[in-house]
Amino acid sequence: MFYRLSGIHHTRYESARALWPVPADRWQVVALAVLALAAPLFVSNLYLGSYILPWLIWAAAALSLSLLMGLAGQLHFGFAAVMAIGAYSSIHLVRAGVPFELALLGAGVVSALIGTVFGAAALRVKGLYLVMATLAMQYLVDWVIINVPAISGGAQATLRTPAVSFLGLPISTLIERYYFALGWAVLITLFFMNVKRTSFGRALVAIRDKDFAAAVIGVDPFRYKLMAFLTSSFIGGVTGAVLAFCYYRAVTPEQFSFNVSIQLVAMVLVGGLGSAIGGYLGAGFVLLVPIFLTNFIAGLGESGWIYISQNLMAHLPLIFYGAMIIGFLLLEPLGLAKIYDNIRKALLVWPFRHSRS
Amino acid sequence: MKWFTRTAGMAAIAAAMTAGGAVAQDNTIRFGLLQDFTAVYTFVTGEYNQGQRDYLTLVNQEGGIDGHTFNAIVRDTGNQPQRGIEAYNRAREEGAILFDFLSTPVSRALVDQVLQDEVVLITPLHGRGDASDGTTFPYVFPMMATYWSQATILAQYLKDNGGLDGKKIAVVHIDSPFGREPIPVLEALAEDEGFELRAFPYASPGNEQSATWSEVRRYRPDAVFIWGAGGGQSVSVREGIRNGIPAENIYSVVWLAETDAANVGADVMTGVHRYEAVATGTDLPILQRIQEQVIDAGLGAGDAAAVGSTYYNIGVATMAVAVEAARLALEHEGAPLDGAKLKAGFERIENFDAEGLMPPITITAEDHQGGGFGRVSQWNGTAWEPVSDWFAAYQDVVREEIEQGAAEYAGGN
């Protein structure tokens, strides 16, 4: 009914293997793209700058981590450190006179190199042991940033981003920063969806499922594990730079602390491992739900609906937030993306119910 | 018929509320108290914020300022910059003209935005100390002694009570930018006054400091400055005493309060000194009025037992200064207030001591620190007892540090 499938015959491999073979999906994507492009026209600055902009950037970060955790199956609990390396390198590069376009690439390269060095631990260890190795990266990078004033920006440990332009277009007003972040998020999304269909993506999936088996069928685990870390860290580093230049515009070490790494992992897990829409849903959930809950409960308190102490008032959103995470994961352990998928599959055959999966 | 009267009544109430809201809109001055209630600063935020809101309630109960009342927008930011940014933008849309984040990461992340939006940011006892330079940071007001001034006040107290020459001072600090902040100023003083200084860092968050303190014991210092915040402070005091350092030789940064004394053991801690920014206790005119008109009237924002505690009184003092600034702004600049007028009000504050609650501060367009005053107090087993008058010390050294930091900021950091 909503996703009408009758009359859709794929006569060529290209159309059958398209990203969105069903027209209804294509229309949804087009509608979303139009909405995103027109957002500055109908969304207030508050929501554009404090909700949508960070959401897009964090979704890109979640996707780059999802490439590593979801596709290649390598756990990473220090991804905020990867983004920090990108953010700090890009600012220092721009200050040294490198054009912003090259500084972004440079940020990605530096993050990719350092990220791969720590990722090399994945060649020897797996699972929880890899978590420990990546945690070590988080703490080492934090320590270096805090203790080297040349990196962190002196006694106050704050580094402001210089004014930049991208391909001749300045990036300073909110709308310019929004479009730049949107462009980056779209690019990463398309890359993420396509990488799953390449031999590289399939090799990563093979390694995720069982690295011995992958080696037997001719996928070199050494090469592909390192490449997974390299790719993911490169994208993560550039996303860190985008976060610094488009959103924070003043970088401090706390913005990339251990908590942020955990939030990123939560985004990937709650959203759904290895899913593009899951990156957006997870980032939206982890980033925005606490804000909505805080404002909602504070609003209830101010309008006199509930009489509770400030302390409880501040903790109530956390209680609900925790309950929501558990609730969603109990309802669907594969994440929000799977819930979306279930709804879509039900709608595909609605009003009948015979092809539930 | 019944439903009709009920609907009509509700409509009337709704109309009254909107009308009332519309009137209040013009004469309400909004402050955004967007603080960290759930993550890192929880040891202070609850009492601090309660003091702030109780004082604003007191001002409103007494009729406001020139018919203007005050409204606090309170939100939790969880010490996360991105939540601070959201809360700031929202509160600014709701018309707030003064902000207090009580969180160094959030304040740092928003300094640029505040300067651009021309609204007032107060950073008492947190944030960038170099924001005391009003020429570089026109809209940021630390308004209480920076950590540099706190260090110089403690040093001056030592000098007045036994001298500094030839003494050995240990600084036991949390290993973070905040913990390292007093060291450059103390190093400069060590050179001038001829004492020996050594820093002993411990790892954040400071629950475990035994290795650090056994080194401190070997150093045999004449005085120990402890420079941390939250749970690490009571650990420092306990470890210091365990390692044979007399309690009266321990000098703390502002973050040491009644709770820490209870954690260490009130009698064990007897003798410990601390820097004090604001008088503690309820034996003060403002606190008496809060007790009568806010707490006894059932309008208090929290637990009545917290009234008069260290952090509660600091909260009251911050709002006393802010309301005084608003009063001066209304008097000299006229209503309706905006960020620029409120800033001008702050810069007119002269010898304001909130009826004895705090040292007399004077804020000028250059000096947003207010003079860097404070005093030293000592734990007597049940309460903090002042052992000196309000004073400021070595402000030339502090000013040098402030200007150096401000120059770095202007250079892009």
Side-chain angles (χ1 to χ4, degrees), chain A residues 46-47 50-51 95 146-147 153 156 158-160 247 249 254 263 287 291 294-295 298 302 310 314-315, chain B residues 37-38 53 74-75 80-83 86 89-90 93 105 108 112-113 128-130 180 409 412-413:
Chain A
L46 169 66
Y47 284 93
S50 310
Y51 292 75
R95 284 193 177 185
I146 291 173
N147 284 282
Q156 297 294 333
T158 313
L159 209 56
R160 291 191 292 157
Y247 181 59
R249 293 191 292 165
E254 298 95 348
Q263 283 184 335
L287 195 67
I291 296 178
T294 304
N295 284 328
E302 272 159 22
Q310 179 61 41
H315 285 87
Chain B
F37 291 89
T38 49
R53 290 198 292 164
V74 182
R75 290 287 184 285
Q80 297 173 11
Q82 88 271 10
R83 287 182 62 184
E86 187 275 342
N89 283 332
R90 179 174 294 275
E93 278 203 353
R108 273 187 192 151
D112 278 344
Q113 194 64 39
R128 306 177 67 114
D130 55 6
R180 279 192 293 269
Y409 175 85
N413 279 352

Side-chain angles (χ1 to χ4, degrees), chain B residues 195-214:
Chain B
F195 63 89
E196 197 184 302
L197 180 81
R198 202 166 136 195
F200 297 88
Y202 58 83
S204 175
N207 299 331
E208 168 50 46
Q209 305 175 16
S210 48
T212 310
W213 282 95
S214 53

Side-chain angles (χ1 to χ4, degrees), chain B residues 91-279:
Chain B
R92 202 163 56 80
E93 278 203 353
E94 289 171 13
I97 53 173
L98 175 139
F99 294 89
D100 181 359
F101 299 113
L102 192 67
S103 149
T104 297
V106 177
S107 293
R108 273 187 192 151
L110 278 160
V111 160
D112 278 344
Q113 194 64 39
V114 162
L115 295 179
Q116 199 183 323
D117 294 341
E118 302 193 339
V119 288
V120 173
L121 170 64
I122 58 171
T123 59
L125 307 174
H126 72 275
R128 306 177 67 114
D130 55 6
S132 305
D133 185 347
T135 46
T136 312
F137 298 92
Y139 284 89
V140 186
F141 292 87
M143 78 185 208
M144 284 184 184
T146 59
Y147 292 113
W148 298 316
S149 296
Q150 296 180 22
T152 57
I153 281 172
L154 291 176
Q156 179 74 44
Y157 178 81
L158 285 175
K159 191 182 175 188
D160 296 343
N161 294 275
L164 281 170
D165 197 27
K167 293 281 168 65
K168 292 207 278 191
I169 295 181
V171 183
V172 181
H173 65 87
I174 188 165
D175 199 9
S176 71
F178 151 68
R180 279 192 293 269
E181 217 167 327
I183 292 169
V185 164
L186 288 173
E187 274 171 352
L189 291 190
E191 225 163 81
D192 294 349
E193 301 289 346
F195 63 89
E196 197 184 302
L197 180 81
R198 202 166 136 195
F200 297 88
Y202 58 83
S204 175
N207 299 331
E208 168 50 46
Q209 305 175 16
S210 48
T212 310
W213 282 95
S214 53
E215 262 184 69
V216 176
R217 184 184 59 201
R218 279 198 286 278
Y219 182 61
R220 297 181 172 280
D222 297 297
V224 183
F225 288 4
I226 55 170
W227 222 265
Q233 286 290 82
S234 43
V235 177
S236 287
V237 174
R238 200 184 298 133
E239 290 285 338
I241 293 170
R242 184 179 294 160
N243 280 284
I245 288 161
E248 56 271 18
N249 287 358
I250 297 177
Y251 292 81
S252 169
V253 65
V254 69
W255 303 123
L256 194 68
E258 294 80 9
T259 331
D260 302 294
N263 289 347
V264 177
D267 47 335
V268 182
M269 209 173 106
T270 305
V272 170
H273 292 82
R274 68 162 185 187
Y275 164 87
E276 192 170 83
V278 164

Side-chain angles (χ1 to χ4, degrees), chain B residues 392-412:
Chain B
Y394 301 107
Q395 281 301 305
D396 46 333
V397 182
V398 173
R399 190 70 201 171
E400 221 167 86
E401 200 66 35
I402 289 172
E403 277 169 8
Q404 190 190 328
E408 271 183 28
Y409 175 85

Side-chain angles (χ1 to χ4, degrees), chain A residues 57 60-65 67-68 76 78-93 100-116 137 141 180 184 188 228-246 251 256 264:
Chain A
I57 303 175
L63 285 181
S64 43
L65 181 58
L67 181 77
L68 190 61
H76 201 316
F79 209 69
V82 174
M83 293 174 67
I85 297 169
Y88 278 95
S89 343
S90 63
I91 295 178
H92 284 296
L93 282 172
F100 183 53
E101 299 83 355
L102 294 180
L104 281 180
L105 288 179
V109 169
V110 176
S111 305
L113 289 179
I114 301 177
T116 313
M137 172 183 185
V141 170
F180 186 75
W184 176 247
I188 293 311
F229 273 94
L230 192 82
T231 320
S232 154
S233 302
F234 181 88
I235 305 173
V238 180
T239 309
V242 174
L243 186 69
F245 276 90
C246 291
V251 174
F256 303 99
L264 281 164

Side-chain angles (χ1 to χ4, degrees), chain A residues 19-20 29 32-33 36-37 56-57 59-60 63 178-194 276 280:
Chain A
L19 279 180
W20 296 287
V29 170
L32 269 182
L37 280 176
L56 285 173
I57 303 175
L63 285 181
Y178 166 74
Y179 279 122
F180 186 75
L182 178 66
W184 176 247
V186 168
L187 187 69
I188 293 311
T189 312
L190 290 176
F191 172 77
F192 187 85
M193 296 184 77
N194 279 300
Y280 283 85

